[in-house]
Structure formats: structure tokens, C-alpha cells
Amino acid sequence: MDLLQASYNDGEELENPSSSPDSSPPRLLPAKSAAPRVDDTTLALTVAQNNLTKSRPIDPNQHLVAFNPTYDQLWTPIYGPAHPYAKDGLAQGNRNHKLGFVEDANIDSFVFDEQIYTFQKYGFAADPSGTEIVGDLNALSKNGGNTVFSAPQQEQKRRRIEAKKEDEDEDLENVDKEEVENPATDTWLLKNKKSPWAGKKEGLQGELTEEQKKYAEEHAKKKEEKGASQDKGEAVVEKTTFHGKEEKDYQGRSWIAPPKDAKATNDHCYIPKRLVHTWSGHTKGVSAIRFFPKSGHLILSAGMDTKVKIWDVFNSGKCMRTYMGHSKAVRDICFTNDGTKFLSAGYDKNIKYWDTETGQVISTFSTGKVPYVVKLNPDEDKQNILLAGMSDKKIVQWDMNSGQITQEYDQHLGAVNTITFVDNNRRFVTSSDDKSLRVWEFGIPVVIKYISEPHMHSMPSISVHPNSNWLAAQSLDNQILIYSTRERFQLNKKKRFAGHIVSGYACQVNFSPDGRFVMSGDGEGRCWFWDWKSCKVFRTLKCHDQVCIGVEWHPLEQSKVATCSWDGLIKYW
């Protein structure tokens, strides 16, 4: 208190120095603080250390961060060990590039391209800061400040034409005047030439002369004929020859009528062991064979010699009739359900519908493309509907009564090889050169199942198991794959039949009528038989000298098989 009083008195004396003239000069005392003195050196060091830590990049090996790091610290790039002269790491934290700190320039890529192209073309560009122009200022004023992108198209075109004209004028100035005026010289041509896009000649088209009209009519006619011939297959005169004794027997029955006593002798199928008969009549290879439906007393063959022949199986074993209506090799054949008619598809781009008994062609179908496979809908009420897999990747559906195309299934990426009906003929499966299988609802051109795997090969032949639950597909990697015909059409990985060599050949695969055996021809002329349950090879027969392309099991005689080959023979085992 005494101290306070003293300081108060001193203050009064300072305010009124004139109160006592004899008093001594004023004394200034240091300010006193009642708070105890504190050493803040440690605190300052701690704050400085914290600030240092917050500016330093975080060590990726650090497991615990005792403070909230900033965004910049989290995203600071990490470079190898710190430089010996930057041991505190500050220099590292302030770098985002090997050579130091690079700031992002906020410029759009389009803006950058516009400026660099303008500079390359006109010699000026805007400074990235946007404050000034760099480069040729004369070009800037001449161009009206337009960049390469802002100048309108017409303006650009006009400038190009002007520049070209100036160049040509410069060239012509240095040339003799006589040459410019002489139409025989190149210089005159150069000056007077017109662009092919310079527009039509002025003046109206005059009337055509009689000769010109005649020529135009002939040309149009030729064009029409050419288009029609491209649309349709090659026209051939259809002929047929009957080779049997008589077309009707003493009771008036047709030669194609099945024998009355034809019925299955046994439910159990056996593998054939020896050759029974050989049919030879085709001058070139045989591409397909089909037994007469249900009875199998006749066998139909398609030859590469453009002919289709039908042979007797039960009695004489001779050729009964030859059908000649194709100009090129016949690719595929297909009987109707009752066998009274059949289809043939040839490389002459025609599909022909024949009467089996008389050999007459009922109708011809063509799209101008090669049909690779022909199939009739197996339903009794849809025997007038024809499906054909074409070389132009389409499956075409005809109504044979009207001759009109009623549907096109166009999804494959390669020529269509097979058409197989499944699921009570409500659906059909197609295979193609695009190495895929596609499942379709009949009449709806939308794929309901698409099967394509990287390991799959093309499948040129497909057959249905007698119980209708499985499909056997001949794969060109020398194996037969089995697919389910249920909803999912899954590959049965447990069943796989291999051992034969078929790569490169569309060898037919088939089943025995009781479903116990799978059989297939191969590229070396053999016929292979596998057991369906065990998938083991049961027997192989050396049938032909060339590729054994077609194999058919007899529908009634359970131990008899027919094979055909490119050597022109059909053999019955």
C-alpha cells in the first residue's frame, strides 16, 4: 500500500510541477507487475515445433498421427530420403515435382489447343494470363482477332481459295502471255480449269436423240435382268429318271409305299460288324444320306454330281429314281414326315421341293444366297413351313403354300450350318461358323439363349438324343459335346466323346434308336461308335477310303447302319 501511495503522490507531482518550485526533478519508476515471472522459452519452442510438424509431410511409415493434418500435408508427394541439407523435411513438403513446386494453371484443354493452333497458323496467341497478346500483332489486326476455331467455315474456305488463286496468279505472271491464251498449252488449262464440284453446266438438258433413247432402254433392261439373276439361283431344267421295274405293283401300290410287315424286331440295338451292301451310282462324292421316315425301306442321297438319288434298302438294293434339278453340288436334303416329298438345297442357290414318287419339282425357293441347311418344321400341322440356313448369316423361313418369306432370323455372325428343333418343336437351335450356338423361339426372330465360349469351335453337325433331353454337337476340335435341351441349354461336362479326327470336315453325328450308342464318321473314312453311358469307344469300322461324311442308323433294323463318303459310295453295315 505504501508503494501504491508513493507512486500516486509521484504522479500528482508530475501533473503539477509548478506547485513546489523548490522540489527536486521528477523520478520515473519502472512498472511493477504483481504476476510472478514465468520462463516462456519452452512454450515458444513447443509452438514452433508444432508449426514445423504441421508443415512437414506425413511419413507413410508413421502409425499414429497426434494432430489433425491439413489437406496439403495428406496429398504432399513422397520422394526418397530427404536431401542432406534439408533434414527437417520442409523442402520436401513444399515440392510437388522433381524440380520443385509447380502451380496448376487454370486453363481448359480446348482453350490451350485453340491458342497453340492459332499461333502455329497465324503467328499470334493470347498470353495464358489473359492480359496481353504474344506474337505477330500485324497478323492479329489483319485477322480481326479471330482464332482458328472462331473463324466461320465459309470464311476459312474463302481464305483457302483466295490463297490458292494468289499462288496460281503468281505462277502465271512469270509465264509468256501467248501460252496463257493458247488452249493447247498446260498453262491455259491451269488458268481455265474448273473444279469437279464447281456445279452443273449452265443451260437445260436437250431432248435425247432416238439412238440415245434406245441405248438407255437397253441398258435399263440389262440392269433389271442382272438384278433378277442375282436375286434368284441358277435356272435349270428339272428332269427325273425312274430306274425300277414299275411305278405301281399288281395291287396298285406305289413304289414308295412302305412294306406292311416293316416293324421293329427288337428294342435293343447292336453295333454292326460287317458290310451288307454297297450302293454306287454317284460320279462324285456323296454329301448327305437320309432314311425314309419311320420305315427306312428307302434311302435318299445327295451327291456332289448335282443329282439326288433314292435307293431300295429291303429288296433289290438298286437305285429307284434319280432327281436332276440342280446345276451345282447338292448340299443338304430333308424328308417330310410322311416321306412323300423332300427338300434339296444346292450350291446353285436353289432350294427345291420334290415329289418323291413322281420326281416332279413342286416349287423352288431362292434368296440369291447359298443354302447350307434345310429343315421342315416337324409338327404335322406345320409341314408347309421351311427353314433354311443361308451363307449370308440368316435363317430364312418360307411358307411353301404361298411361296412367301414369312420370317428372317438374323443374328448370327457367320454362315449357318445346322437347324435342330427341340422342346416339342417350340424352339430350335442353330450353329454357325461364328463358333456359337443360338436358341430361338419358333416364329420369333429374337435369340432366347446365346452360347459362345472362348474355347468353343464351330459345330457343323448337331443331333438330338432319342429321349429329346440332350443334343450331341460335332465340334471341330475332334470331340462331340453334349448340351441339355432344358431351359438353360448347359454343356454336360461329364459327357464328352473323343478319339476321332474330324477337324475341317462336317461329319454327321447320330444316335442309335434306343439311345445307347453315339456314332460319327471321321476324316479318315472310319465310323466310330461310343457307349452313351460310359463315353468309351465301343468300336470303329474302316468304312471308306475318303472322309466318312454321313452316318445314319436304320430306324427299324436295330443293328444296321448306312454310311456315305466323298468317294461316291453309300455302304450298308
Side-chain angles (χ1 to χ4, degrees), residues 146 303 323:
N146 280 328
Y323 307 88

Side-chain angles (χ1 to χ4, degrees), residues 106-107 111 115 125-134:
N106 189 15
I107 181 166
V111 176
Q115 296 305 326
D127 191 275
S129 62
T131 53
E132 56 184 31
I133 299 291
V134 292

Side-chain angles (χ1 to χ4, degrees), residues 55-123:
S55 61
R56 182 185 298 159
I58 293 169
D59 183 6
N61 299 321
Q62 192 175 341
H63 293 293
L64 184 70
V65 181
F67 60 93
N68 288 337
T70 62
Y71 176 86
D72 291 334
Q73 269 180 294
L74 285 172
W75 291 98
T76 303
I78 299 298
Y79 296 96
H83 194 273
Y85 298 115
K87 286 179 182 170
D88 56 356
L90 270 173
Q92 292 293 337
N94 207 23
R95 290 167 60 173
N96 63 1
H97 189 268
K98 288 180 184 176
L99 303 177
F101 184 77
V102 178
E103 285 187 8
D104 284 337
N106 189 15
I107 181 166
D108 191 31
S109 60
F110 172 79
V111 176
F112 180 79
D113 288 348
E114 183 181 28
Q115 296 305 326
I116 197 168
Y117 292 150
T118 305
F119 189 80
Q120 285 170 356
K121 187 164 185 180
Y122 300 133

Side-chain angles (χ1 to χ4, degrees), residues 235-489:
V236 180
V237 178
E238 291 110 1
K239 291 188 292 182
T240 180
T241 311
F242 183 68
H243 305 287
K245 285 182 182 176
E246 50 195 4
E247 295 198 20
K248 295 218 184 314
D249 65 0
Y250 68 98
Q251 286 187 330
R253 289 178 300 192
S254 167
W255 64 273
I256 66 162
K260 298 282 185 193
D261 58 346
K263 60 177 189 286
T265 52
N266 195 345
D267 292 339
H268 208 71
C269 291
Y270 298 95
I271 302 289
K273 294 179 181 175
R274 62 185 179 84
L275 181 63
V276 177
H277 188 73
T278 303
W279 291 287
S280 58
H282 286 287
T283 54
K284 292 184 181 176
V286 181
S287 52
I289 50 173
R290 300 283 182 270
F291 274 112
F292 196 89
K294 296 182 182 121
S295 63
H297 68 292
L298 298 168
I299 187 168
L300 189 69
S301 64
M304 295 181 188
D305 55 359
T306 75
K307 294 172 186 171
V308 179
K309 289 177 179 279
I310 193 161
W311 314 77
D312 183 52
V313 176
F314 281 175
N315 303 318
S316 64
K318 291 179 180 174
C319 179
M320 298 300 288
R321 192 181 274 282
T322 302
Y323 307 88
M324 293 164 282
H326 290 282
S327 62
K328 291 185 181 172
V330 185
R331 163 80 188 207
D332 194 27
I333 44 178
C334 176
F335 269 116
T336 56
N337 284 358
D338 57 5
T340 56
K341 299 175 184 69
F342 71 89
L343 288 161
S344 65
Y347 282 101
D348 58 357
K349 303 176 185 174
N350 285 324
I351 299 166
K352 304 219 169 192
Y353 190 43
W354 302 81
D355 186 297
T356 314
E357 184 180 356
T358 63
Q360 298 300 310
V361 174
I362 299 165
S363 46
T364 303
F365 309 96
S366 178
T367 62
K369 297 289 183 287
V370 178
Y372 281 164
V373 57
V374 283
K375 259 295 194 297
L376 285 168
N377 190 312
D379 283 341
E380 288 295 340
D381 60 338
K382 294 194 183 81
Q383 284 288 288
N384 62 319
I385 293 175
L386 152 67
L387 285 176
M390 313 302 282
S391 59
D392 64 345
K393 314 167 193 174
K394 292 180 183 174
I395 299 125
V396 183
Q397 179 178 314
W398 273 278
D399 181 348
M400 292 195 293
N401 293 345
S402 64
Q404 298 297 313
I405 293 174
T406 55
Q407 192 61 270
E408 279 190 357
Y409 306 84
D410 184 12
Q411 295 268 320
H412 274 294
L413 306 174
V416 181
N417 291 325
T418 66
I419 299 171
T420 313
F421 280 89
V422 294
D423 193 17
N424 296 325
N425 308 325
R426 287 196 301 252
R427 295 175 180 165
F428 61 94
V429 181
T430 59
S431 69
S432 161
D433 286 348
D434 62 9
K435 303 180 184 177
S436 72
L437 293 178
R438 292 171 203 247
V439 185
W440 315 74
E441 288 275 359
F442 179 73
I444 303 169
V446 179
V447 174
I448 58 169
K449 180 75 178 177
Y450 169 59
I451 304 164
S452 179
E453 299 291 341
H455 57 75
M456 278 171 65
H457 285 66
S458 184
M459 297 177 183
S461 173
I462 292 179
S463 184
V464 186
H465 191 276
N467 68 8
S468 305
N469 291 337
W470 304 99
L471 287 175
Q474 182 83 267
S475 178
L476 284 186
D477 56 349
N478 301 327
Q479 59 180 347
I480 295 169
L481 303 175
I482 305 297
Y483 288 88
S484 162
T485 59
R486 300 285 176 207
E487 288 297 318
R488 297 181 66 190
F489 289 88

Side-chain angles (χ1 to χ4, degrees), residues 1-12:
M1 289 300 289
D2 293 334
L3 282 168
L4 288 169
Q5 185 65 40
S7 65
Y8 177 75
N9 293 337
D10 290 342
E12 280 186 344

